[in-house]
PDB file of all heavy atoms in Angstrom:
ATOM      1  N   CYS A  34      15.424   7.490  -0.672  1.00 98.00           N
ATOM      2  CA  CYS A  34      14.347   8.245  -1.355  1.00 98.00           C
ATOM      3  C   CYS A  34      14.016   7.549  -2.677  1.00 98.00           C
ATOM      4  O   CYS A  34      12.844   7.316  -2.995  1.00 98.00           O
ATOM      5  CB  CYS A  34      14.801   9.668  -1.687  1.00 98.00           C
ATOM      6  SG  CYS A  34      14.927  10.775  -0.280  1.00 98.00           S
ATOM      7  N   ASP A  73      16.215  22.249   9.339  1.00 98.00           N
ATOM      8  CA  ASP A  73      17.174  21.689  10.287  1.00 98.00           C
ATOM      9  C   ASP A  73      16.396  20.885  11.329  1.00 98.00           C
ATOM     10  O   ASP A  73      15.510  21.424  11.980  1.00 98.00           O
ATOM     11  CB  ASP A  73      17.939  22.844  10.952  1.00 98.00           C
ATOM     12  CG  ASP A  73      19.158  22.339  11.671  1.00 98.00           C
ATOM     13  OD1 ASP A  73      19.014  21.402  12.493  1.00 98.00           O
ATOM     14  OD2 ASP A  73      20.255  22.863  11.413  1.00 98.00           O
ATOM     15  N   ALA A  89      19.157  12.079   9.541  1.00 98.00           N
ATOM     16  CA  ALA A  89      19.871  13.364   9.597  1.00 98.00           C
ATOM     17  C   ALA A  89      20.977  13.325  10.639  1.00 98.00           C
ATOM     18  O   ALA A  89      20.711  13.157  11.827  1.00 98.00           O
ATOM     19  CB  ALA A  89      18.901  14.497   9.908  1.00 98.00           C
ATOM     20  N   VAL A 140      34.464  -6.988  22.378  1.00 97.00           N
ATOM     21  CA  VAL A 140      33.811  -8.236  21.971  1.00 97.00           C
ATOM     22  C   VAL A 140      33.824  -8.249  20.452  1.00 97.00           C
ATOM     23  O   VAL A 140      33.494  -7.240  19.815  1.00 97.00           O
ATOM     24  CB  VAL A 140      32.352  -8.261  22.497  1.00 97.00           C
ATOM     25  CG1 VAL A 140      31.571  -9.413  21.900  1.00 97.00           C
ATOM     26  CG2 VAL A 140      32.334  -8.310  24.013  1.00 97.00           C
ATOM     27  N   ILE A 218      47.022   6.053   4.758  1.00 98.00           N
ATOM     28  CA  ILE A 218      46.587   5.105   5.799  1.00 98.00           C
ATOM     29  C   ILE A 218      46.860   5.741   7.152  1.00 98.00           C
ATOM     30  O   ILE A 218      47.969   6.215   7.404  1.00 98.00           O
ATOM     31  CB  ILE A 218      47.324   3.760   5.666  1.00 98.00           C
ATOM     32  CG1 ILE A 218      46.784   3.017   4.444  1.00 98.00           C
ATOM     33  CG2 ILE A 218      47.194   2.922   6.933  1.00 98.00           C
ATOM     34  CD1 ILE A 218      47.246   1.586   4.339  1.00 98.00           C
ATOM     35  N   ALA A 265      43.427  -0.654   0.933  1.00 98.00           N
ATOM     36  CA  ALA A 265      44.245   0.224   0.086  1.00 98.00           C
ATOM     37  C   ALA A 265      44.825  -0.570  -1.084  1.00 98.00           C
ATOM     38  O   ALA A 265      44.805  -0.115  -2.238  1.00 98.00           O
ATOM     39  CB  ALA A 265      45.366   0.839   0.929  1.00 98.00           C
ATOM     40  N   SER A 276      49.715   5.439  -7.754  1.00 95.00           N
ATOM     41  CA  SER A 276      49.765   5.955  -6.378  1.00 95.00           C
ATOM     42  C   SER A 276      50.524   5.006  -5.472  1.00 95.00           C
ATOM     43  O   SER A 276      50.558   3.793  -5.705  1.00 95.00           O
ATOM     44  CB  SER A 276      48.346   6.092  -5.813  1.00 95.00           C
ATOM     45  OG  SER A 276      47.573   6.914  -6.608  1.00 95.00           O
ATOM     46  N   THR A 279      50.944   6.056   1.861  1.00 98.00           N
ATOM     47  CA  THR A 279      51.698   6.766   2.912  1.00 98.00           C
ATOM     48  C   THR A 279      50.973   6.566   4.246  1.00 98.00           C
ATOM     49  O   THR A 279      49.767   6.337   4.271  1.00 98.00           O
ATOM     50  CB  THR A 279      51.807   8.290   2.677  1.00 98.00           C
ATOM     51  OG1 THR A 279      50.494   8.819   2.580  1.00 98.00           O
ATOM     52  CG2 THR A 279      52.599   8.619   1.453  1.00 98.00           C
ATOM     53  N   LEU A 297      20.946 -11.886  14.066  1.00 98.00           N
ATOM     54  CA  LEU A 297      19.587 -11.405  14.347  1.00 98.00           C
ATOM     55  C   LEU A 297      18.905 -10.927  13.054  1.00 98.00           C
ATOM     56  O   LEU A 297      17.728 -11.241  12.810  1.00 98.00           O
ATOM     57  CB  LEU A 297      19.655 -10.259  15.365  1.00 98.00           C
ATOM     58  CG  LEU A 297      18.339  -9.772  15.939  1.00 98.00           C
ATOM     59  CD1 LEU A 297      17.629 -10.867  16.735  1.00 98.00           C
ATOM     60  CD2 LEU A 297      18.552  -8.544  16.835  1.00 98.00           C
ATOM     61  N   ALA A 319      33.611   3.383 -10.538  1.00 98.00           N
ATOM     62  CA  ALA A 319      32.996   3.893 -11.782  1.00 98.00           C
ATOM     63  C   ALA A 319      32.298   5.226 -11.494  1.00 98.00           C
ATOM     64  O   ALA A 319      32.413   6.178 -12.275  1.00 98.00           O
ATOM     65  CB  ALA A 319      31.997   2.872 -12.325  1.00 98.00           C
TER      66      ALA A 319
END
Side-chain angles (χ1 to χ4, degrees):
C34 287
D73 194 308
V140 170
I218 287 190
S276 303
T279 57
L297 189 63

